[in-house]
Amino acid sequence: MSVTAPTITSFLPPHRTLMGPGPSDVPQRILDAMARPTIGHLDPAFTDMMEQTKTLLRYAFQTENKLTFPVSGPGSVGMETCFVNLVEPGDKVIVCSNGVFGGRMLENVKRCGGVPIVVEDAWGRAVDVAKVEAAFMAHPDTKILAFVHAETSTGAQSDAATLAAIARKHGALTIMDCVTSLGGTPVLIDAWGIDAAYSGSQKCLSCTPGLSPVTFSERAIEKVRARTTPVQSWFMDLNLVLGYWSGEGKRTYHHTAPINPLYGLHEALLILAEEGIEKAWARHRTMHEALKHGLEGMGLSFLVPSDERLPQLNSVLLPEGIDDAACRARLLNEFNLEIGAGLGALAGKIWRIGLMGASASQKNVDTCLKAMAAVLAV
Ligand SMILES: *Cc1c(COP(=O)(O)O)cnc(C)c1O
């Protein structure tokens, strides 16, 4: 007996306006780039494109780090790549937890056999740098400080420059999650002295999901080289991945790179370079101000204090008596607009309105304000 062929036709997705916590709107120019012919992943034309992608990524990260490349996998794989390579069994790691993504870092440290020292802060607030300093004083043998620069679950931004300086003073390396900050607010890897950072393609870079730009300092690479135990992940072991990404003329097969998605990332980074990164940061700020003005005009208020707020992720408190799911369903069905719900402890309490990458536009701000006014009947 054979299984009957299903009668399914091609999938034609609806046209949405994406103003959630990612993915953000993907410009047609990027989608067009991804539709170009697939070539071999060891083809010299492809490896030239990879070299350009690394150069463009160094600009996005504001770093000279040689080891800067996109991991084949979503931001979560970039995260794991940082932790599995840098955390060895027994390493003390100070983990800052002020939202969902800090919690994931903690889970990574535990799974790598590290000894986590958790610095807790309220959801919706930046990491308290004084608590981190105190944690280092109490645990001078700490090897790594891990923190989320832009907590997408709450919309809070932490002071990465100060956190990295504290870690350095105490002789520790830093791992920074900049999934939501890269391309949206300043991420200054070299100026801040960050040792390992991971991001994602689908937030302020406005590419499709599935790639994770990462960057590692020389100090981080030294720690990986000095490991006495092998990295427990074969796929993410930097020593092996490097044979492909930096083979310098003699690249060896590690895994088949996601060719067409990488065309997309190349185009997305090119768009960022053409605009100029400072201009991109300023645009996110300006659009945030416009959105904030409109939302506050409707009586909505923000979860995060203004000096700790991310322009690209706006968390607003749900007004009394509003049905969370029903409102978001109306936004989607009547206005083709996606916004984000609250996560974890903030589920049902906030909405997360993203202004990431191409979604940080006046057109999107206008669409959002009009739709919100309709569903809130203000
Ligand atoms: C989205 C996000 C991630 C995870 O990225 P995925 O591509 O969904 O795996 C990690 N950290 C932060 C802060 C994020 O916003």
Side-chain angles (χ1 to χ4, degrees):
M1 227 179 72
S2 63
V3 176
T4 315
T7 51
I8 295 175
T9 54
S10 298
F11 177 60
L12 299 174
H15 284 272
R16 305 285 200 208
T17 298
L18 300 180
M19 297 183 73
S24 52
D25 287 341
V26 181
Q28 190 59 42
R29 184 175 153 187
I30 294 174
L31 296 174
D32 289 345
M34 293 175 74
R36 289 174 193 149
T38 302
I39 58 176
H41 68 121
L42 296 169
D43 187 313
F46 185 71
T47 52
D48 282 353
M49 192 278 300
M50 281 164 64
E51 286 308 312
Q52 291 182 3
T53 300
K54 284 155 67 178
T55 302
L56 289 163
L57 272 180
R58 287 187 194 105
Y59 173 68
F61 276 121
Q62 296 285 291
T63 183
E64 304 283 344
N65 283 346
K66 268 191 75 177
L67 186 50
T68 302
F69 69 100
V71 171
S72 303
S76 304
V77 182
M79 167 179 70
E80 297 229 19
T81 300
C82 291
F83 284 91
V84 296
N85 281 281
L86 289 172
V87 180
E88 280 186 90
D91 280 355
K92 262 193 191 173
V93 183
I94 296 177
V95 182
C96 304
S97 178
N98 61 339
V100 167
F101 295 101
R104 290 189 179 180
M105 286 182 143
L106 172 60
E107 190 60 30
N108 271 260
V109 171
K110 288 181 188 162
R111 287 175 188 229
C112 294
V115 180
I117 315 293
V118 183
V119 171
E120 287 267 357
D121 278 294
W123 286 33
R125 294 305 306 269
V127 171
D128 183 341
V129 296
K131 286 190 200 165
V132 174
E133 176 71 49
F136 270 110
M137 299 302 273
H139 302 277
D141 53 341
T142 295
K143 297 274 175 56
I144 295 169
L145 169 67
F147 65 92
V148 179
H149 182 213
E151 231 329 325
T152 324
S153 63
T154 67
Q157 174 159 258
S158 290
D159 181 354
T162 302
L163 290 169
I166 293 171
R168 217 146 242 249
K169 188 176 81 186
H170 292 279
L173 298 181
T174 43
I175 297 178
M176 177 172 79
D177 175 327
C178 56
V179 176
T180 280
S181 42
L182 192 70
T185 46
V187 171
L188 308 176
I189 297 295
D190 288 1
W192 295 343
I194 301 288
D195 294 294
Y198 56 93
S199 189
S201 47
Q202 78 276 29
K203 312 240 171 158
C204 294
L205 298 179
S206 259
C207 191
T208 53
L211 291 170
S212 178
V214 294
T215 186
F216 295 90
S217 72
E218 284 301 323
R219 296 197 321 156
I221 297 166
E222 273 166 37
K223 186 165 191 323
V224 180
R225 291 224 170 95
R227 285 182 67 112
T228 52
T229 53
V231 173
Q232 65 268 39
S233 162
W234 176 86
F235 182 71
M236 289 178 270
D237 184 342
L238 280 177
N239 291 306
L240 302 178
V241 176
L242 283 182
Y244 179 59
W245 271 98
S246 23
E248 258 127 52
K250 47 174 175 49
R251 287 173 198 279
T252 51
Y253 168 65
H254 175 261
H255 67 278
T256 311
I259 316 284
N260 294 57
L262 284 166
Y263 298 165
L265 181 63
H266 181 277
E267 201 69 22
L269 292 167
L270 204 54
I271 291 173
L272 178 67
E274 285 170 4
E275 179 177 19
I277 200 158
E278 291 88 357
K279 288 219 176 92
W281 297 333
R283 175 170 49 81
H284 283 85
R285 172 72 44 203
T286 309
M287 292 307 132
H288 161 72
E289 291 298 333
L291 182 72
K292 177 175 79 108
H293 182 75
L295 294 174
E296 287 179 343
M298 291 176 209
L300 292 169
S301 56
F302 280 73
L303 171 74
V304 179
S306 59
D307 58 335
E308 297 175 1
R309 221 173 263 169
L310 281 167
Q312 63 272 53
L313 199 286
N314 297 266
S315 290
V316 290
L317 299 162
L318 252 71
E320 280 296 311
I322 288 291
D323 183 334
D324 175 19
C327 275
R328 281 186 296 105
R330 273 194 70 195
L331 292 174
L332 195 67
N333 298 329
E334 293 173 31
F335 299 91
N336 273 309
L337 173 66
E338 178 180 280
I339 64 164
L343 286 181
L346 293 171
K349 298 204 169 75
I350 60 165
W351 283 329
R352 293 179 300 148
I353 306 174
L355 288 169
M356 299 183 180
S359 293
S361 71
Q362 190 62 52
K363 181 168 165 279
N364 279 25
V365 169
D366 294 344
T367 300
C368 178
L369 291 175
K370 191 168 144 243
M372 294 290 274
V375 301
L376 295 172
V378 289

